[in-house]
Amino acid sequence: MTYEIEERLLHFKQPAGTSRGVYTTRKIWLVHLYEGDGHSVGECAPLPDLSCDAMADERYEALLRQFCKNLCETGEIDYDAMRDYPSMLFGLETAQLTLHSSHLSPLTTHLLFNTAFSRGEVGIPINGLVWMGNHDEMLQRLEEKLAKGFRCVKLKIGAIDFEQELDLIKRIRDRFSFHEVELRLDANGAFKYDEALYKLELLSQYAIHSIEQPIRQGQWAYMAELCRESPLPIALDEELIGVNDPAMKRHMLNIIKPRYVILKPSLHGGMKGCREWIDTARELGVGSWITSALESNIGLNAIAQFAASIYGDHITMPQGLGTGQLFTDNIPMPLEIRNDQLWRCH
């Protein structure tokens, strides 16, 4: 087995705004594995200032080369050594799983798991993502998602005035009941603790499915209190980053007791680490779903197949897999959004 590492810079069609800043480009590393006539590729895509393995480019690539060299020499991923490098681990897991997939048709190329979704027989329901912007921009983006047939919409909030965001949500509910449109919110840690509960109470008037990460991560006691007192179900996302030890995962969930955890393989331990989170969450009565984290179609394809392997052939809860159309120079992959579902297609 041999490897190559390819660095790429992807460009967003429009700036992607979060409470942490605005992305206009996205750097990724592609790991190519070769064995005999087989060739596979996996995506390593850390997010600056967010991933626990974000670091200077030169150091990142040197460490990635070391892990690739070890995989090629031993034929196995050293999960213990890679536990704290989730974006690298996810790329190697993807490349290893797809190395021996057949090249007979587009559907069997880049095949990770043999599921109905991977075979192109069923789609996965996904939420429509509305990026942060000013009031009018967010309203326009929302209209576009609804017109495309999305019935679950996720709004990123926290970048503009809260009253304007509240007005936007009120407008949605004036037009669509919760039976027609499911609303999810993602605050990306934007609320201050002393105002969070008040804001959650105001938001609860509008039949919100859940809110991700209302306060910044690392405040377990405060987050646990919010989960107890909030009229809205709270989901953890950034809170999970860097918590890579299985015992610590259980400890965190026991303390905070969220309603949901949202798993991103590039951020939360690769596929192996996400399985640990999901298994532990299930034991504790905590729900979950899987989302992408601004990867190219290489990563999105792997994450979608992983979600199908976890939740089965008949997924009903929308997953966060709608980021494949964000880039002007994305990598072609047999993925297609039909109404509010993601499909693998011929």
Side-chain angles (χ1 to χ4, degrees), residues 152-167:
C152 175
V153 178
K154 173 178 168 179
L155 299 174
K156 282 188 171 287
I157 63 173
I160 61 175
D161 179 71
F162 180 71
E163 294 301 323
Q164 291 187 52
E165 292 173 334
L166 206 61
D167 177 68

Side-chain angles (χ1 to χ4, degrees), residues 185 187 189 191 193 196-197 199-201 203 208-215 222-240 253 256-262 285-289:
L185 304 180
F191 296 168
Y193 166 70
L197 190 58
K199 289 184 174 180
L200 293 174
E201 288 172 348
L203 290 167
I208 306 298
H209 172 271
S210 58
I211 183 167
E212 292 178 41
Q213 206 67 41
I215 61 174
Y222 286 160
M223 188 67 86
E225 183 178 341
L226 281 182
C227 286
R228 284 196 308 271
E229 303 295 332
S230 172
L232 287 182
I234 290 177
L236 300 186
D237 180 356
E238 289 93 337
E239 198 73 64
L240 312 179
L253 295 181
I256 298 179
K257 293 181 170 61
R259 184 74 65 85
Y260 301 103
V261 289
I262 299 170
V286 176
S288 66
W289 67 87

